[in-house]
Every structure is written in C-alpha cells, then in structure tokens.
C-alpha cells in the first residue's frame, strides 16, 4: 500500500480509522493527520507514528483525503482545501447529512467524492460503514474506500438517496442500543439486582442475541418466537412493550433521525 492517506480533523472516529488501517497493513509513514490543536497532533504522532501536517499540506500531498470534521465545519474546511486539491485526489466525507454535491460544487470539476456514514463501533473494529459514490467516483474509488473502512468493520454500498435512512439506522443506531441497555439496567435495579450484576446480565444477553442474529441466518421473528413460550414470562413482557407502543415509538424515532439528516443536508446546501 503506497498511497498516502490523510485524515483531516482527527477525532475519536478518525483515530480509530487510523489505528485500524495500521493493523490492516498501511505503513504509518503513509498516513497523514490534521488536528485543530497542536498537542492533539503530537499525541497522534506519538501514539501511532503518523505524520501531522496542515490542511493545505494534506491536500497537496495525500492521494486520499478523509474529511472527519463536524458537518457545521465542513464548509470552512473546503474553502481552505479547494485551492490545493488536484482533480485526481479522492475525497471521502464522513460528515452526516452532507451530500456529495456539496463537495463537488466547491472543488475542481471532476474531483471524485465518496460519502461514508460510519458509526462509533469503529472504536472496537465493529463499525458499519455505508458508502455512496458521488458523480465522478469510479469503481476503483469505491473499492479503495471499502478497503480503508473495512479495516474497522463491515461496509455496505448504497445509492446516495438512501444515506439519510442509513444514518438513522446505523449511524445513530448504537445510541438506541445504549439507551435500551440503560433502561433495562434501571429495570434490573427496580427488580432488586445490584447495578453491576444487572449490567453484566444485559450486556452479555445483548452480545449473545446479536451473535445469533448475525450467525444463525434466522429471521428475528423466528428467534424471538424461540424464546416466547405460551403464557410465559417473555410473552407477558412483549405484551407490555406493545401496550406502550414501543414498536411505533422506534419507527417514529428513526423517522425523526432521518428527517434531521435531511435538514442537515438542506442547511449545508445553503452555506
């Protein structure tokens, strides 16, 4: 792997990506980073052996630029980068809600752009990264993006029109599971269990259930039915979930997340 890759705005997800790439075979000497604070850049150098550079130097030097700044900062970053990015650079955006057209309109005509929505399990190499091509991105660009993000989990290609839905499902998805575990832990305490024991019971149950979903090939309805005995404890719990509209609330929550992603896209197009 001889291409130089630069991660711009290297926060937790950006650092997780760097770490995964190094484990996947990239040489630290071929990885560049930018950070808002000089001490953060030096921390990344000390920890991973990568090279801190300025945003302009990254744009001039790297073959692939991965932009991981917050959506509200992306316009300012592009204004800084645009004069320095040749059209043969691959630009990968990790910003929620911002369409590839936002980048293409601010960069030289023909610059390939790929949009990626990853999630925080990248920190433990279990990310779900959703990849969409811009107008000028080639098959090779997509394959290269998959290689990079495959170092921290799974990847999936979708049309860009589906990115907002993917943001709602997997981009924000880990938070829903954390929220559920939090609520179940509180329930365990209410039922008389110490917090640490309730936490351990729920976390291992979640890991086991997720593994079964991934490996069994069974539909989740079938897996749920296997646990649900007639007149048993599980069906009584599920009845209460249905009575309280949990399924409808989840659907509404995901729609709200998708709508917010669309709002972010609409806002970015006006900046």
């Amino acid at each position: 792997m001889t291409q130089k890759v630069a991660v711009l705005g290297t926060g937790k997800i950006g650092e997780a990506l760097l770490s995964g790439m190094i484990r996947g075979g990239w040489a630290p000497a071929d990885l560049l980073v930018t950070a808002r604070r000089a001490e953060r850049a030096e921390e990344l150098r000390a920890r991973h052996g990568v090279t801190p550079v300025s945003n302009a130097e990254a744009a001039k030097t790297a073959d692939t630029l991965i932009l991981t700044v917050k959506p509200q900062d992306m316009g300012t970053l592009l204004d800084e980068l645009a004069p320095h990015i040749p059209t043969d650079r691959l630009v990968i955006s990790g910003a929620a809600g911002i369409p590839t057209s936002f980048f293409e309109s601010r960069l030289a005509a023909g610059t390939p752009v790929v949009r990626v929505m990853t999630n925080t399990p990248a920190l433990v190499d279990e990310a779900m990264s959703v990849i969409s091509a811009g107008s000028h991105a080639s098959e090779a660009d997509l394959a290269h993006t998959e290689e990079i993000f495959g170092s921290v989990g799974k990847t999936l290609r979708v049309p860009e029109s589906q990115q907002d839905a993917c943001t709602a499902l997997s981009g924000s998805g880990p938070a829903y599971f954390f929220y559920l575990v939090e609520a179940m832990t509180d329930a365990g305490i209410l039922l008389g269990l110490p917090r640490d024991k309730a936490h351990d019971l729920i976390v291992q149950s979640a890991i086991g259930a997720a593994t079964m979903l991934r490996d069994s090939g069974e539909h989740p309805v079938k897996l749920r039915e296997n646990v649900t005995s007639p007149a048993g404890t599980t069906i009584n719990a599920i009845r209460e979930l249905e009575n309280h509209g949990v399924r409808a609330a989840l659907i509404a929550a995901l729609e709200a997340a998708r709508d917010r992603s669309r709002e972010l896209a609409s806002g970015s197009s006006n900046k």
Side-chain angles (χ1 to χ4, degrees):
M1 301 175 187
T2 57
Q3 281 205 346
K4 285 192 177 296
V5 176
V7 179
L8 284 74
T10 312
K12 288 185 178 180
I13 295 293
E15 184 175 3
L17 190 58
L18 284 172
S19 178
M21 290 173 69
I22 291 168
R23 290 192 302 277
W26 269 268
D30 292 328
L31 300 177
L32 311 177
V33 296
T34 76
R36 181 171 294 179
R37 295 180 295 106
E39 55 269 33
R40 170 61 174 166
E42 287 305 315
E43 179 182 282
L44 292 167
R45 184 206 298 270
R47 188 176 296 159
H48 303 290
V50 296
T51 304
V53 294
S54 67
N55 289 330
E57 187 177 353
K60 296 174 184 176
T61 306
D63 302 288
T64 301
L65 304 173
I66 305 174
L67 312 186
T68 63
V69 301
K70 295 178 180 179
Q72 60 267 31
D73 297 328
M74 192 62 77
T76 300
L77 177 62
L78 287 176
D79 289 342
E80 182 181 355
L81 295 177
H84 308 291
I85 299 180
T87 56
D88 61 350
R89 297 289 191 266
L90 170 60
V91 176
I92 300 174
S93 165
I98 302 184
T100 55
S101 59
F102 177 81
F103 299 86
E104 292 168 348
S105 67
R106 286 160 174 77
L107 300 174
T111 302
V113 179
V114 174
R115 177 177 172 182
V116 180
M117 170 49 60
T118 192
N119 57 17
T120 55
L123 297 168
V124 292
D125 291 347
E126 291 290 350
M128 182 70 252
S129 300
V130 184
I131 296 170
S132 300
S135 301
H136 310 294
S138 66
E139 171 63 29
D141 294 326
L142 290 171
H144 185 50
T145 303
E146 287 174 330
E147 185 181 20
I148 291 172
F149 283 85
S151 66
V152 291
K154 291 190 175 183
T155 64
L156 177 70
R157 293 189 198 184
V158 301
E160 189 170 11
S161 61
Q162 296 176 1
Q163 273 280 355
D164 293 324
C166 292
T167 297
L169 282 171
S170 66
S172 300
Y176 313 146
F177 291 102
F178 300 147
Y179 181 85
L180 180 61
V181 168
E182 179 188 0
M184 291 177 69
T185 301
D186 287 344
I189 295 168
L190 179 65
L191 297 173
L193 292 170
R195 178 175 293 275
D196 60 341
K197 288 184 171 58
H199 177 82
D200 289 347
L201 287 166
I202 294 160
V203 170
Q204 184 56 40
S205 295
I207 292 170
T211 301
M212 290 178 71
L213 280 167
R214 184 189 65 192
D215 297 344
S216 70
E218 296 280 4
H219 193 281
V221 170
K222 176 64 175 175
L223 294 173
R224 178 180 58 77
E225 288 175 345
N226 290 341
V227 186
T228 311
S229 303
T233 58
T234 306
I235 191 61
N236 274 272
I238 290 174
R239 180 186 63 183
E240 287 302 310
L241 292 172
E242 294 292 349
N243 287 343
H244 285 81
V246 172
R247 186 188 302 265
L250 282 171
I251 293 171
L254 291 169
E255 287 181 326
R258 178 209 57 197
D259 293 346
R260 178 55 180 157
S261 183
R262 289 176 174 173
E263 289 173 4
L264 289 171
S266 175
S268 69
S269 66
N270 295 323
K271 293 179 181 178

